[in-house]
Amino acid sequence: MKKIWILTALTIATLFLFTACASEADTMISPNPSASTAPAETMPPTTNDGGVGMDQPMGSTTTSPSGTTGGNAGGAMGGATGSAAATTGVTTMEDSRRISQQVAEEVEKLSELDEAEAIVVDDMAVVGVKYDSQYRSGMDERLKKMVEARVQAVDKNITKVYVVESAGDMDILTRLRQKLTDANYTVEELRNELMSLTGKMMG
């Protein structure tokens, strides 16, 4: 019985020693916090001007100090540069003199008319008429369409035809025809005077 107690005591003592050794071993192999390696510090990304900011995607458009944009700046400028719409029809004084004369002669062939005057610029013709003494109907829709047909027979680019019949308007057109031979008279001046005349007609 005494031997059993002695063996039990030795067993307990042995277990105690093993436990103590295991505890000491755990303490010895634990890493030293002071020896741990700190993670590398990362620098924040920088912008083009040296400041801290977000990374800029490749191919993005940047603004230069001059205000022009990078990337497709050339294409943008090309698209922004608009061109004025080209004027069609009679655009020179020489053409205006020639075609105005042709239109006047062609319209004057109508039996209802005794005399015709015409001024043409761009796609517009202003035609003044004086009726034959035998004609009594005036400028009705039928005669107006006949005048338009004669004008477009000379030049199909003329899409606006204005017909005037008063003596005052005929005098204005006659004076304008005389200006067509003036070397200092320009297409712009002719265009403005005709627009003023047609504006009064439509007003």
Side-chain angles (χ1 to χ4, degrees):
M1 187 69 178
K2 186 177 181 180
K3 290 180 179 181
I4 292 174
W5 283 110
I6 291 172
L7 289 175
T8 302
L10 288 174
T11 301
I12 292 173
T14 302
L15 290 174
F16 178 78
L17 288 175
F18 278 124
T19 302
C21 288
S23 177
E24 184 178 355
D26 290 341
T27 303
M28 290 177 64
I29 65 174
S30 62
N32 187 355
S34 63
S36 63
T37 303
E41 183 178 356
T42 58
M43 295 296 294
T46 59
T47 58
N48 291 338
D49 58 1
V52 178
M54 297 294 290
D55 285 337
Q56 186 170 348
M58 292 182 63
S60 62
T61 301
T62 58
T63 303
S64 66
S66 63
T68 58
T69 57
N72 295 327
M77 290 177 65
T81 305
S83 58
T87 303
T88 59
V90 178
T91 57
T92 67
M93 292 301 293
E94 181 181 353
D95 286 344
S96 181
R97 284 192 297 270
R98 176 175 55 84
I99 297 178
S100 295
Q101 179 66 33
Q102 292 175 356
V103 167
E105 291 175 354
E106 189 66 25
V107 172
E108 209 169 78
K109 292 177 182 179
L110 292 170
S111 60
E112 290 85 353
L113 304 178
D114 181 55
E115 185 180 344
E117 187 64 90
I119 299 293
V120 178
V121 68
D122 300 332
D123 60 349
M124 173 178 62
V126 180
V127 181
V129 297
K130 183 178 179 182
Y131 301 112
D132 183 88
S133 58
Q134 304 298 317
Y135 182 69
R136 295 286 186 267
S137 298
M139 184 54 62
D140 55 15
E141 191 64 26
R142 179 191 65 87
L143 182 57
K144 183 177 179 182
K145 288 186 179 299
M146 292 170 65
V147 171
E148 291 175 354
R150 294 283 177 144
V151 172
Q152 292 180 343
V154 174
D155 191 337
K156 294 185 182 302
N157 290 319
I158 302 173
T159 57
K160 301 176 186 133
V161 179
Y162 299 91
V163 181
V164 295
E165 54 185 338
S166 72
D169 289 337
M170 281 287 285
D171 289 341
I172 292 174
L173 293 179
T174 301
R175 286 196 300 269
L176 287 178
R177 277 285 297 277
Q178 293 170 352
K179 287 184 179 181
L180 295 183
T181 59
D182 186 348
N184 296 319
Y185 192 62
T186 66
V187 173
E188 288 74 17
E189 291 174 313
L190 175 61
R191 183 181 294 118
N192 289 337
E193 290 200 57
L194 277 186
M195 292 297 291
S196 176
L197 178 59
T198 56
K200 292 177 182 177
M201 292 167 54
M202 292 184 292

